[in-house]
């Protein structure tokens, strides 16, 4: 608990992590584990696997902190990207696909336009769900499913240009929703 | 290209979420360096994203942290480490100290040079002063010994047995004179050559006692201070001084007679 008392700015935290400070690790976990876990959960949608991925993500962040480039963006953004990518890798791995039938089910959600009540919408995905349907499907498939624009175009049988413009529009709309909620 | 359109195109949001392709990302990274407004807009969305994700997040189970820490156990360093701000402050702090030290060093070097020159001067003055003191001390010794001698002389002169015999200058040398002091008891003779010209090189004055018309050598006139001790003379009727060659002669050269005085009986 004493670790919470000191507040790190992102700069200070990065410096401390680079020096392999245990204190910095504790701080990192306490302040960011929930956010990263939620993104992973948004992608994988299964708590146990998500917890495993979370472990991998923290280990990756700890060991790859030297490669973080603050000119490209904030620490949070960088960590979120690692979390999402790790989750997508796991999602697409053969093991996971074999053990989880949910994936096929998720895809059909967009086609039928009914919200899967079994799937818990938390985190960012909760806000994306508020987008209008053609924007929502493109954003979900792109961000939470990891499909390329070409794959989405093929899957939805629409031109790539349309995919891109719907994606851009969807993201702008998402920002509006974030603003409205007060973020 | 219109910056406003670009910034409102959704490219910022795509980039931050990792949904921009390589070309779009490269272009944005290039443009942000040239455009502070764009740079700021990217930062703002990133902050908004963090706030959103954080607010909508759920906690993982407690065990996850320990599992991770077990795996990373060997990789922790346990010292508490300074924040970047403090490190920068320390560097500045030491920079200031270094600068101050440099200034002090230079000032010290300048002072050293100045005082060294002063020291050299003072040392020279001191050496000269020492030499002067030694000279004065030597002089002092001479003066003291002269005084002692004078004192002795005076005491001898005031003895009632001592007779004072004046030797006035002869015809062509009337400006010269000398005085002989003769102790009738001890027969000691002292000369006061107080009014004789300096002897030229190779010559020396000689005192003669006239005994029964014959001159008897009474001693050479040396550089003797005040009263010059001469040869003891048992009896004489007169004293005279001639200028002889250095070392004297057995007989006087009467052409070189300077002063002559009869003894009054």
């Amino acid at each position: 608990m004493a670790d919470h008392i000191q507040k790190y700015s992102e700069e200070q935290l990065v410096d401390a992590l680079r020096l392999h400070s245990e204190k910095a690790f504790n701080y990192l976990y306490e302040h960011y584990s929930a956010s990263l876990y939620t993104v992973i959960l948004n992608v994988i949608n299964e708590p146990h696997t998500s917890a495993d991925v979370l472990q991998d993500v923290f280990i990756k962040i700890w060991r790859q902190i030297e490669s973080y480039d603050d000119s490209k963006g904030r620490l949070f953004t960088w960590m979120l990207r690692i979390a999402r990518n790790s989750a997508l890798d796991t999602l697409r791995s053969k093991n996971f696909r074999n053990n989880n039938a949910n994936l096929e089910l998720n895809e059909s959600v967009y086609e039928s336009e009914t919200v899967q009540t079994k799937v818990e919408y938390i985190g960012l995905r909760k806000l994306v769900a508020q987008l209008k349907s053609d924007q929502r499907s493109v954003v979900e498939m792109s961000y939470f499913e990891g499909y390329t624009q070409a794959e989405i175009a093929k899957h939805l049988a629409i031109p790539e240009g349309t995919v891109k413009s719907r994606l851009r529009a969807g993201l702008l709309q998402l920002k509006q929703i974030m603003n409205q909620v007060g973020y | 290209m219109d910056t406003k359109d670009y910034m409102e195109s959704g490219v910022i949001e795509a980039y931050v979420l990792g949904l921009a392709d390589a070309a779009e990302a490269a272009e944005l990274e290039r443009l942000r360096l040239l455009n502070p407004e764009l740079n700021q807009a990217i930062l703002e969305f990133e902050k908004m994203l963090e706030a959103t994700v954080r607010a909508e997040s759920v906690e993982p189970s407690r065990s996850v942290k320990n599992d991770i820490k077990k795996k990373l156990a060997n990789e922790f360093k346990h010292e508490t480490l300074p924040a970047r701000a403090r490190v920068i402050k320390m560097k500045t702090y030491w920079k200031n100290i270094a600068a101050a030290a440099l200034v002090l060093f230079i000032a010290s070097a300048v002072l050293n040079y100045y005082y060294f020159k002063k020291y050299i001067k003072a040392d020279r003055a001191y050496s000269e002063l020492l030499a002067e003191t030694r000279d004065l001390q030597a002089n002092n010794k001479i003066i003291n010994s002269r005084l002692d001698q004078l004192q002795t002389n005076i005491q001898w002169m005031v003895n009632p047995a001592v007779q004072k015999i004046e030797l006035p200058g002869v015809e062509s040398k009337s400006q010269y004179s000398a005085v002989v002091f003769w102790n009738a008891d001890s027969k000691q003779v002292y000369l006061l050559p107080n009014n004789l010209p300096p002897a030229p090189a190779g010559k020396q004055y000689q005192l003669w006692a006239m005994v029964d018309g014959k001159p008897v050598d009474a001693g050479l006139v040396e550089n003797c201070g005040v009263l010059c001790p001469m040869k003891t003379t048992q009896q004489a009727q007169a004293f005279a001084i001639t200028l002889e060659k250095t070392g004297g002669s057995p007989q006087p050269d009467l052409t070189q007679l300077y002063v002559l005085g009869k003894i009054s009986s």
Side-chain angles (χ1 to χ4, degrees):
Chain A
M1 266 312 184
D3 296 332
H4 293 246
I5 294 170
Q6 171 166 17
K7 208 178 182 312
Y8 286 96
S9 71
E10 280 200 346
E11 253 187 32
Q12 293 168 334
L13 183 55
V14 170
D15 286 346
L17 287 170
R18 283 187 173 145
L19 295 168
H20 308 292
S21 156
E22 185 176 358
K23 212 171 154 192
F25 176 83
N26 290 336
Y27 183 93
L28 182 76
Y29 188 86
E30 292 302 321
H31 282 78
Y32 295 95
S33 59
S35 299
L36 300 182
Y37 178 68
T38 305
V39 160
I40 297 165
L41 205 50
N42 275 164
V43 171
I44 293 177
N45 212 16
E46 197 280 310
H48 187 77
T49 316
S50 298
D52 288 345
V53 174
L54 184 64
Q55 281 193 40
D56 291 343
V57 166
F58 268 97
I59 291 170
K60 259 186 211 159
I61 292 169
W62 174 260
R63 290 183 181 159
Q64 291 175 19
I65 191 68
E66 288 302 323
S67 69
Y68 164 64
D69 181 355
D70 68 358
S71 68
K72 295 271 165 68
R74 299 179 75 239
L75 179 67
F76 184 87
T77 309
W78 180 74
M79 296 196 295
L80 201 71
R81 203 165 298 183
I82 292 175
R84 175 183 165 250
N85 288 338
S86 301
L88 287 173
D89 288 345
T90 304
L91 186 72
R92 289 164 169 273
S93 74
K94 280 198 181 142
N95 255 349
F96 187 79
R97 287 183 88 103
N98 291 338
N99 296 339
N100 292 273
N102 287 343
L103 195 62
E104 299 301 323
L105 218 54
N106 282 348
E107 284 180 6
S108 66
V109 167
Y110 316 119
E111 288 164 344
S112 66
E113 293 193 35
T114 52
V115 176
Q116 242 308 346
T117 52
K118 282 184 198 164
V119 178
E120 239 185 13
Y121 282 103
I122 49 163
L124 256 187
R125 201 151 186 177
K126 184 173 104 180
L127 301 191
V128 170
Q130 295 170 36
L131 294 173
K132 66 185 181 87
S133 64
D134 53 350
Q135 287 174 357
R136 189 183 85 214
S137 54
V138 171
V139 173
E140 291 221 356
M141 288 179 81
S142 181
Y143 191 77
F144 298 106
E145 309 275 304
Y147 288 110
T148 64
Q149 291 182 23
E151 286 167 339
I152 296 170
K154 194 168 170 208
H155 193 88
L156 297 179
I158 52 176
E160 263 191 67
T162 311
V163 173
K164 180 165 177 176
S165 57
R166 281 188 194 175
L167 178 61
R168 292 290 183 89
L171 293 178
L172 285 168
Q173 189 58 36
L174 176 64
K175 188 167 98 171
Q176 285 291 68
I177 295 169
M178 285 159 78
N179 259 323
Q180 281 163 15
V181 187
Y183 304 128
Chain B
M1 105 131 54
D2 188 36
T3 307
K4 193 162 179 285
D5 285 347
Y6 182 76
M7 282 167 56
E8 288 173 1
S9 67
V11 68
I12 290 173
E13 291 74 14
Y15 175 78
V16 170
L17 289 167
L19 299 176
D21 64 39
E24 289 169 336
E27 187 187 32
L28 185 132
E29 281 165 11
R30 182 180 64 82
L31 287 172
R32 76 184 295 176
L33 297 173
L34 305 168
N35 193 321
E37 223 187 308
L38 173 60
N39 197 55
Q40 190 60 27
I42 298 166
L43 182 63
E44 291 303 324
F45 182 68
E46 287 188 82
K47 286 182 179 169
M48 197 188 288
L49 176 63
E50 177 173 1
T52 306
V53 170
R54 198 177 276 281
E56 302 290 346
S57 63
V58 294
E59 298 275 346
S61 66
R62 258 11 207 106
S63 61
V64 178
K65 182 177 181 183
N66 292 330
D67 292 341
I68 299 171
K69 293 201 79 174
K70 265 189 226 152
K71 290 182 182 170
L72 294 180
N74 297 335
E75 300 177 43
F76 294 127
K77 296 236 168 87
H78 296 274
E79 311 90 48
T80 51
L81 296 144
R84 176 182 287 189
R86 256 193 277 154
V87 171
I88 290 173
K89 249 198 188 164
M90 261 171 68
K91 283 192 188 155
T92 316
Y93 177 67
W94 284 114
K95 259 195 195 163
N96 288 340
I97 288 187
L102 186 66
V103 169
L104 279 173
F105 173 74
I106 291 174
S108 162
V110 169
L111 274 176
N112 269 330
Y113 178 70
Y114 171 68
Y115 280 117
F116 179 68
K117 287 212 116 180
K118 271 205 145 180
Y119 165 75
I120 296 290
K121 262 197 190 160
D123 193 50
R124 225 177 275 144
Y126 173 72
S127 298
E128 285 171 4
L129 209 61
L130 265 182
E132 226 186 284
T133 307
R134 267 182 236 123
D135 285 344
L136 281 172
Q137 280 173 339
N139 262 359
N140 204 33
K141 268 201 185 137
I142 293 171
I143 289 169
N144 277 337
S145 76
R146 273 192 118 181
L147 277 173
D148 287 338
Q149 195 183 358
L150 269 175
Q151 190 171 2
T152 313
N153 289 342
I154 287 172
Q155 278 175 337
W156 186 86
M157 276 162 66
V158 300
N159 189 334
V162 171
Q163 200 177 354
K164 174 183 163 193
I165 303 145
E166 286 186 16
L167 308 182
V170 300
E171 251 181 50
S172 52
K173 301 178 175 64
S174 58
Q175 66 271 42
Y176 304 129
S177 64
V179 182
V180 162
F181 293 92
W182 188 28
N183 188 326
D185 293 342
S186 65
K187 308 298 179 189
Q188 280 173 308
V189 178
Y190 276 86
L191 171 67
L192 186 68
N194 55 330
N195 205 5
L196 290 170
K203 298 271 193 189
Q204 194 171 11
Y205 289 110
Q206 192 166 2
L207 181 70
W208 304 92
M210 303 302 287
V211 183
D212 300 330
K214 291 202 174 89
V216 175
D217 169 40
L220 290 161
V221 180
E222 313 278 355
N223 210 359
C224 61
V226 187
L227 272 186
C228 300
M230 308 307 282
K231 290 188 174 164
T232 338
T233 302
Q234 296 303 316
Q235 59 159 347
Q237 287 80 45
F239 283 97
I241 297 176
T242 60
L243 185 65
E244 304 293 337
K245 65 179 190 318
T246 304
S249 330
Q251 291 300 314
D253 180 358
L254 291 171
T255 63
Q256 294 302 310
L257 181 65
Y258 273 72
V259 297
L260 171 68
K262 286 197 181 115
I263 299 162
S264 49
S265 39

